Amino acid sequence: MTFADVLIVGAGHAGAQVAIALRQRKFEGSIALLGDEIEPPYERPPLSKEYLSGEKPFERILIRPPGFYAEREIALLLGRAVTAVDSAAHRATLQDGATISYGSLVWATGGQPRQLTCAGRELRGVHSVRTRSDVDRLLAELPGVSRVVVVGGGYIGLEAAAVLRKLGKDVILLEALDRVLARVAGESLSRFYEAEHRAQGVDVRLGVKVDCLEEAKGAVSGVRLEGGELLPCEMVIVGIGIAPAIEPLRAAGALVGNGVIVDRLCRTSLPDVFAVGDCAAHPNDFANGETIRLESVQNATDQANVVAKALTGAEEPYAAVPWFWSNQYDLKLQTVGLSAGYDQAVLRGDPATRAFSMVYMKQGRVIALDCVNMMKDFVQGRALVVAGARIPTERLADAGTPLKDLSALAAP
Ligand SMILES: Cc1cc2nc3c(=O)[nH]c(=O)nc-3n(C[C@H](O)[C@H](O)[C@H](O)COP(=O)(O)OP(=O)(O)OC[C@H]3O[C@@H](n4cnc5c(N)ncnc54)[C@H](O)[C@@H]3O)c2cc1C
């Protein structure tokens, strides 16, 4: 293929959805969906959940069945990476030197997992959890492993720790900050999850830093902490975030920050080049209009839809309310809104029952909810977040009153 009306680079959640939505919107031009992984687009969240635990085979996490793309004349170009973009010439260069010219380019490349920077980071037995092949490599080693050290107390580290405990492994979880989920949740939720993991047998260590990884017979044999303590293990899982995959666009002159900078229509500063999903830094109404990068299926899907609309003549700025979920043990956490910068957190329900919500307020307005096994609060709380509702905290704290009944009480 040497030309596509729309060339989508990155065949993950966002890239696949751009192609799907374009065809749903009767776009008749040629579409190429190009990705450097060899698999057709698949869901990433199960990689640290049901795929890791063996509950879901790969076929069940495909975003669409294999035949879908050909049926809709979407050219799927897999195992291929774009290494350079010439935006003036509307041309992308691939790693093998081939070029594809385009009418519009959609950059949907997600990010690469951050690696440890210390000695031993490349040893056998050290894993990231970002792609199917990452997880397959990890699973292949797992039968010979009894002790795992997880580095990073974010969602991915915690989910992996939960699965590995269920699989009977000894797990130590290391977090450099003084609480898990520090970037995304309020303190009480962090404490709840720390207690849960400890009750499940995970050795959660907070405020600790890795000095180096020790080696025996070419593989990792332990994690040495700053301070000298050695944690013997046969496997290390590193979950310390991602770096957006934006080098070719940066080199092409696109405005970048923490991601490729896009406007509300997901347009980059380069002509006819859009960016969506984990790699795109965008102005977000739920972060006071600040330019932020979100890593969620919701964001990837909704931004993809914005681009598909823009490319079919329906400009509709991105304004979706952020939401997210995480499964650990029997706890289903669902988040709506962004809690960063909250000044008050209101508890609804009793954490001891394993079903409760935290409502986050800023200057008297509801900005986000974390709902643990509380689907109703998650669904009904959305409207409060969208409205930035002002509701007396004692009413919010009353778990007996459904959140939908509180909308009426909201002061302007
Ligand atoms: C283990 C795990 C668990 C998660 N759990 C949740 C969850 O529970 N809920 C939730 O909302 N979100 C979750 N996420 C986040 C969510 O999966 C991402 O936000 C989402 O996948 C982003 O979609 P994307 O298309 O932007 O990026 P990706 O899905 O990462 O797709 C980008 C694709 O582009 C490819 N690529 C990169 N560079 C190039 C290049 N130069 N040329 C060609 N191809 C390239 C990448 O290899 C990749 O295949 C999880 C993520 C992970 C890794």
mmCIF file of all heavy atoms in Angstrom, residues 215-241:
data_model
loop_
_atom_site.group_PDB
_atom_site.id
_atom_site.type_symbol
_atom_site.label_atom_id
_atom_site.label_comp_id
_atom_site.label_asym_id
_atom_site.label_seq_id
_atom_site.Cartn_x
_atom_site.Cartn_y
_atom_site.Cartn_z
ATOM 1 N N GLU A 215 21.759 -10.647 40.159
ATOM 2 C CA GLU A 215 21.713 -11.654 39.108
ATOM 3 C C GLU A 215 22.297 -12.986 39.583
ATOM 4 O O GLU A 215 23.239 -13.016 40.370
ATOM 5 C CB GLU A 215 22.524 -11.128 37.925
ATOM 6 C CG GLU A 215 22.568 -12.032 36.750
ATOM 7 C CD GLU A 215 23.980 -12.444 36.374
ATOM 8 O OE1 GLU A 215 24.878 -11.594 36.284
ATOM 9 O OE2 GLU A 215 24.169 -13.661 36.197
ATOM 10 N N ALA A 216 21.705 -14.071 39.130
ATOM 11 C CA ALA A 216 22.313 -15.392 39.304
ATOM 12 C C ALA A 216 22.027 -16.180 38.041
ATOM 13 O O ALA A 216 20.871 -16.213 37.573
ATOM 14 C CB ALA A 216 21.733 -16.099 40.529
ATOM 15 N N LYS A 217 23.017 -16.772 37.449
ATOM 16 C CA LYS A 217 22.891 -17.575 36.220
ATOM 17 C C LYS A 217 22.151 -16.810 35.116
ATOM 18 O O LYS A 217 21.259 -17.355 34.449
ATOM 19 C CB LYS A 217 22.161 -18.889 36.519
ATOM 20 C CG LYS A 217 22.931 -19.786 37.480
ATOM 21 C CD LYS A 217 22.187 -21.091 37.677
ATOM 22 C CE LYS A 217 22.739 -21.852 38.860
ATOM 23 N NZ LYS A 217 21.806 -22.677 39.553
ATOM 24 N N GLY A 218 22.474 -15.553 34.981
ATOM 25 C CA GLY A 218 21.913 -14.763 33.878
ATOM 26 C C GLY A 218 20.490 -14.282 34.093
ATOM 27 O O GLY A 218 19.920 -13.635 33.222
ATOM 28 N N ALA A 219 19.905 -14.594 35.233
ATOM 29 C CA ALA A 219 18.521 -14.164 35.475
ATOM 30 C C ALA A 219 18.465 -13.363 36.785
ATOM 31 O O ALA A 219 19.386 -13.429 37.605
ATOM 32 C CB ALA A 219 17.603 -15.376 35.570
ATOM 33 N N VAL A 220 17.360 -12.652 36.950
ATOM 34 C CA VAL A 220 17.226 -11.872 38.181
ATOM 35 C C VAL A 220 17.095 -12.832 39.378
ATOM 36 O O VAL A 220 16.416 -13.864 39.294
ATOM 37 C CB VAL A 220 16.024 -10.899 38.091
ATOM 38 C CG1 VAL A 220 14.697 -11.633 38.108
ATOM 39 C CG2 VAL A 220 16.079 -9.846 39.175
ATOM 40 N N SER A 221 17.780 -12.479 40.469
ATOM 41 C CA SER A 221 17.689 -13.340 41.655
ATOM 42 C C SER A 221 17.244 -12.547 42.880
ATOM 43 O O SER A 221 17.029 -13.123 43.940
ATOM 44 C CB SER A 221 19.044 -13.991 41.952
ATOM 45 O OG SER A 221 19.991 -12.980 42.241
ATOM 46 N N GLY A 222 17.127 -11.225 42.716
ATOM 47 C CA GLY A 222 16.683 -10.435 43.851
ATOM 48 C C GLY A 222 16.665 -8.955 43.543
ATOM 49 O O GLY A 222 17.251 -8.504 42.555
ATOM 50 N N VAL A 223 15.960 -8.226 44.398
ATOM 51 C CA VAL A 223 15.920 -6.767 44.292
ATOM 52 C C VAL A 223 16.622 -6.206 45.516
ATOM 53 O O VAL A 223 16.256 -6.544 46.655
ATOM 54 C CB VAL A 223 14.458 -6.259 44.242
ATOM 55 C CG1 VAL A 223 14.419 -4.735 44.249
ATOM 56 C CG2 VAL A 223 13.737 -6.812 43.018
ATOM 57 N N ARG A 224 17.631 -5.398 45.263
ATOM 58 C CA ARG A 224 18.343 -4.745 46.371
ATOM 59 C C ARG A 224 17.739 -3.357 46.549
ATOM 60 O O ARG A 224 17.652 -2.575 45.609
ATOM 61 C CB ARG A 224 19.831 -4.661 46.030
ATOM 62 C CG ARG A 224 20.656 -3.885 46.978
ATOM 63 C CD ARG A 224 21.416 -4.648 48.032
ATOM 64 N NE ARG A 224 22.123 -5.845 47.619
ATOM 65 C CZ ARG A 224 22.420 -6.822 48.487
ATOM 66 N NH1 ARG A 224 22.032 -6.747 49.756
ATOM 67 N NH2 ARG A 224 23.080 -7.902 48.086
ATOM 68 N N LEU A 225 17.280 -3.067 47.789
ATOM 69 C CA LEU A 225 16.701 -1.762 48.064
ATOM 70 C C LEU A 225 17.787 -0.787 48.466
ATOM 71 O O LEU A 225 18.828 -1.183 48.998
ATOM 72 C CB LEU A 225 15.686 -1.865 49.207
ATOM 73 C CG LEU A 225 14.470 -2.754 48.954
ATOM 74 C CD1 LEU A 225 13.556 -2.756 50.181
ATOM 75 C CD2 LEU A 225 13.698 -2.271 47.723
ATOM 76 N N GLU A 226 17.510 0.509 48.260
ATOM 77 C CA GLU A 226 18.409 1.525 48.818
ATOM 78 C C GLU A 226 18.373 1.320 50.323
ATOM 79 O O GLU A 226 17.309 1.186 50.908
ATOM 80 C CB GLU A 226 17.924 2.933 48.450
ATOM 81 C CG GLU A 226 18.272 3.309 47.040
ATOM 82 C CD GLU A 226 17.884 4.746 46.699
ATOM 83 O OE1 GLU A 226 17.427 5.486 47.591
ATOM 84 O OE2 GLU A 226 18.030 5.102 45.518
ATOM 85 N N GLY A 227 19.485 1.278 50.948
ATOM 86 C CA GLY A 227 19.514 0.931 52.377
ATOM 87 C C GLY A 227 20.103 -0.457 52.560
ATOM 88 O O GLY A 227 20.490 -0.832 53.661
ATOM 89 N N GLY A 228 20.116 -1.254 51.465
ATOM 90 C CA GLY A 228 20.870 -2.499 51.507
ATOM 91 C C GLY A 228 20.064 -3.780 51.564
ATOM 92 O O GLY A 228 20.578 -4.849 51.250
ATOM 93 N N GLU A 229 18.778 -3.711 51.963
ATOM 94 C CA GLU A 229 18.017 -4.965 52.099
ATOM 95 C C GLU A 229 17.892 -5.682 50.749
ATOM 96 O O GLU A 229 17.622 -5.053 49.715
ATOM 97 C CB GLU A 229 16.619 -4.673 52.652
ATOM 98 C CG GLU A 229 15.856 -5.951 52.981
ATOM 99 C CD GLU A 229 14.438 -5.676 53.522
ATOM 100 O OE1 GLU A 229 14.071 -4.507 53.689
ATOM 101 O OE2 GLU A 229 13.712 -6.649 53.746
ATOM 102 N N LEU A 230 18.051 -7.001 50.776
ATOM 103 C CA LEU A 230 17.894 -7.801 49.549
ATOM 104 C C LEU A 230 16.591 -8.582 49.616
ATOM 105 O O LEU A 230 16.315 -9.272 50.601
ATOM 106 C CB LEU A 230 19.071 -8.777 49.400
ATOM 107 C CG LEU A 230 18.982 -9.705 48.186
ATOM 108 C CD1 LEU A 230 19.110 -8.918 46.883
ATOM 109 C CD2 LEU A 230 20.061 -10.789 48.257
ATOM 110 N N LEU A 231 15.798 -8.465 48.560
ATOM 111 C CA LEU A 231 14.542 -9.215 48.474
ATOM 112 C C LEU A 231 14.723 -10.302 47.425
ATOM 113 O O LEU A 231 14.655 -10.019 46.215
ATOM 114 C CB LEU A 231 13.387 -8.281 48.083
ATOM 115 C CG LEU A 231 13.247 -6.990 48.916
ATOM 116 C CD1 LEU A 231 12.217 -6.054 48.282
ATOM 117 C CD2 LEU A 231 12.862 -7.332 50.353
ATOM 118 N N PRO A 232 14.981 -11.541 47.818
ATOM 119 C CA PRO A 232 15.209 -12.601 46.830
ATOM 120 C C PRO A 232 13.929 -12.865 46.021
ATOM 121 O O PRO A 232 12.822 -12.834 46.576
ATOM 122 C CB PRO A 232 15.554 -13.822 47.685
ATOM 123 C CG PRO A 232 15.861 -13.294 49.040
ATOM 124 C CD PRO A 232 15.066 -12.039 49.199
ATOM 125 N N CYS A 233 14.069 -13.092 44.728
ATOM 126 C CA CYS A 233 12.898 -13.371 43.879
ATOM 127 C C CYS A 233 13.383 -13.969 42.572
ATOM 128 O O CYS A 233 14.557 -13.862 42.220
ATOM 129 C CB CYS A 233 12.104 -12.097 43.604
ATOM 130 S SG CYS A 233 13.037 -10.873 42.682
ATOM 131 N N GLU A 234 12.447 -14.588 41.848
ATOM 132 C CA GLU A 234 12.782 -15.132 40.535
ATOM 133 C C GLU A 234 12.181 -14.280 39.419
ATOM 134 O O GLU A 234 12.451 -14.500 38.242
ATOM 135 C CB GLU A 234 12.239 -16.565 40.381
ATOM 136 C CG GLU A 234 12.826 -17.583 41.355
ATOM 137 C CD GLU A 234 12.151 -17.533 42.718
ATOM 138 O OE1 GLU A 234 10.920 -17.337 42.758
ATOM 139 O OE2 GLU A 234 12.844 -17.659 43.747
ATOM 140 N N MET A 235 11.307 -13.332 39.801
ATOM 141 C CA MET A 235 10.674 -12.486 38.774
ATOM 142 C C MET A 235 10.461 -11.083 39.326
ATOM 143 O O MET A 235 10.131 -10.921 40.511
ATOM 144 C CB MET A 235 9.320 -13.087 38.367
ATOM 145 C CG MET A 235 8.570 -12.264 37.319
ATOM 146 S SD MET A 235 7.007 -13.043 36.806
ATOM 147 C CE MET A 235 7.599 -14.251 35.634
ATOM 148 N N VAL A 236 10.636 -10.087 38.449
ATOM 149 C CA VAL A 236 10.338 -8.690 38.799
ATOM 150 C C VAL A 236 9.360 -8.157 37.761
ATOM 151 O O VAL A 236 9.575 -8.324 36.552
ATOM 152 C CB VAL A 236 11.628 -7.830 38.798
ATOM 153 C CG1 VAL A 236 11.296 -6.349 38.991
ATOM 154 C CG2 VAL A 236 12.587 -8.305 39.894
ATOM 155 N N ILE A 237 8.285 -7.553 38.218
ATOM 156 C CA ILE A 237 7.342 -6.915 37.299
ATOM 157 C C ILE A 237 7.424 -5.410 37.537
ATOM 158 O O ILE A 237 7.283 -4.948 38.672
ATOM 159 C CB ILE A 237 5.911 -7.427 37.521
ATOM 160 C CG1 ILE A 237 5.860 -8.915 37.163
ATOM 161 C CG2 ILE A 237 4.917 -6.635 36.678
ATOM 162 C CD1 ILE A 237 4.513 -9.560 37.341
ATOM 163 N N VAL A 238 7.676 -4.677 36.464
ATOM 164 C CA VAL A 238 7.875 -3.238 36.580
ATOM 165 C C VAL A 238 6.630 -2.520 36.044
ATOM 166 O O VAL A 238 6.295 -2.645 34.865
ATOM 167 C CB VAL A 238 9.130 -2.797 35.789
ATOM 168 C CG1 VAL A 238 9.354 -1.297 35.943
ATOM 169 C CG2 VAL A 238 10.355 -3.579 36.269
ATOM 170 N N GLY A 239 5.945 -1.813 36.924
ATOM 171 C CA GLY A 239 4.753 -1.065 36.521
ATOM 172 C C GLY A 239 4.899 0.373 36.989
ATOM 173 O O GLY A 239 4.288 0.781 37.969
ATOM 174 N N ILE A 240 5.748 1.125 36.285
ATOM 175 C CA ILE A 240 6.055 2.486 36.752
ATOM 176 C C ILE A 240 5.697 3.525 35.694
ATOM 177 O O ILE A 240 6.339 4.559 35.580
ATOM 178 C CB ILE A 240 7.538 2.619 37.195
ATOM 179 C CG1 ILE A 240 8.488 2.154 36.076
ATOM 180 C CG2 ILE A 240 7.799 1.809 38.457
ATOM 181 C CD1 ILE A 240 9.969 2.417 36.393
ATOM 182 N N GLY A 241 4.651 3.216 34.931
ATOM 183 C CA GLY A 241 4.137 4.210 33.996
ATOM 184 C C GLY A 241 4.685 4.057 32.594
ATOM 185 O O GLY A 241 5.470 3.153 32.309
#
